[in-house]
Amino acid sequence: MTQPSIKELQTHLQASLNFLELCRALKRRTRDPHVKEALNLLIDGEQESLAILSSHLRQMRAAPGARELDRRGKARIREVLALRSPGDQLLAVRRSLADLVAWYETHPPTAQADPATRDLLASLSAQAHRMLEGWDRHLDEMKVAK
C-alpha cells in the first residue's frame, strides 16, 4: 500500500473524534485543576488534528465522516467514567492516545505516496507523539504509575 486509503483515514478520524470526546467527558467530570489543564492541552491538540485531517479528506474529495461519537466511543466513555480511581481514568486516556500514536506507526506512507499525504501524516504523527509525551509527563507529575 502506498498510503492509507480514504476509508482508513476516515476510520482514524472517527477514532480521533472518539478520543476528543473522551477527554471532554473526563474534563467535565474532574475537579482537579491540573488534570483539567492537561486535558485542555489534549483537547486543543486533537481538535487541531481533526481539522487538518478533515480538510485533507475534503481535498481528496472524500467526506470526512459524521463528526460525532460512534457506538464504540460512547461505550469507551462509559467505561472510563465508571472507573473509580482517577489514576485509572488517566491511564485509560493514555491508552487511547497511545492507540492513536500506534495508528501512525502501522500506516506509514511510502516514498511513492503523494507528498501532501506523506507530509500530513508525518506532521500529525509528530503531534500525536508530542501529546503522548506531554501526557506521560503529566502522569509522572501526578505520580500515576504507567
Side-chain angles (χ1 to χ4, degrees):
M1 172 171 50
T2 59
Q3 67 185 25
S5 69
I6 288 173
K7 179 75 172 151
E8 288 170 320
L9 292 173
Q10 290 168 328
T11 299
H12 182 61
L13 181 78
Q14 182 64 56
S16 295
L17 177 63
N18 289 348
F19 174 71
L20 173 65
E21 292 303 325
L22 169 64
C23 292
R24 286 177 174 162
L26 194 55
K27 181 184 168 198
R28 285 190 297 271
R29 178 68 70 90
T30 190
R31 294 183 181 161
D32 185 322
H34 299 293
V35 172
K36 283 184 185 260
E37 183 180 329
L39 287 168
N40 277 336
L41 293 173
L42 291 181
I43 290 167
D44 291 346
E46 203 56 33
Q47 284 176 324
E48 182 181 339
S49 294
L50 282 166
I52 292 168
L53 189 52
S54 293
S55 174
H56 185 72
L57 281 165
R58 283 190 293 277
Q59 289 172 1
M60 295 173 74
R61 305 216 186 283
R67 302 285 300 201
E68 60 187 40
L69 266 174
D70 66 4
R71 181 179 41 82
R72 285 180 286 164
K74 291 175 184 175
R76 182 71 178 138
I77 289 172
R78 281 192 303 275
E79 285 174 19
V80 172
L81 294 180
L83 295 170
R84 297 265 188 235
S85 163
D88 289 343
Q89 291 176 337
L90 298 178
L91 288 173
V93 169
R94 189 204 186 280
R95 282 188 297 275
S96 295
L97 182 53
D99 288 344
L100 294 177
V101 169
W103 185 88
Y104 291 106
E105 293 169 2
T106 59
H107 292 81
T110 64
Q112 294 80 24
D114 73 89
T117 299
R118 192 171 52 244
D119 292 347
L120 169 90
L121 293 177
S123 172
L124 292 176
S125 176
Q127 181 175 348
H129 278 90
R130 284 190 303 273
M131 288 169 50
L132 182 58
E133 289 168 2
W135 191 252
D136 282 345
R137 281 191 303 278
H138 175 73
L139 292 177
D140 290 342
E141 291 168 7
M142 299 289 292
K143 307 229 184 308
V144 176
K146 292 178 253 175

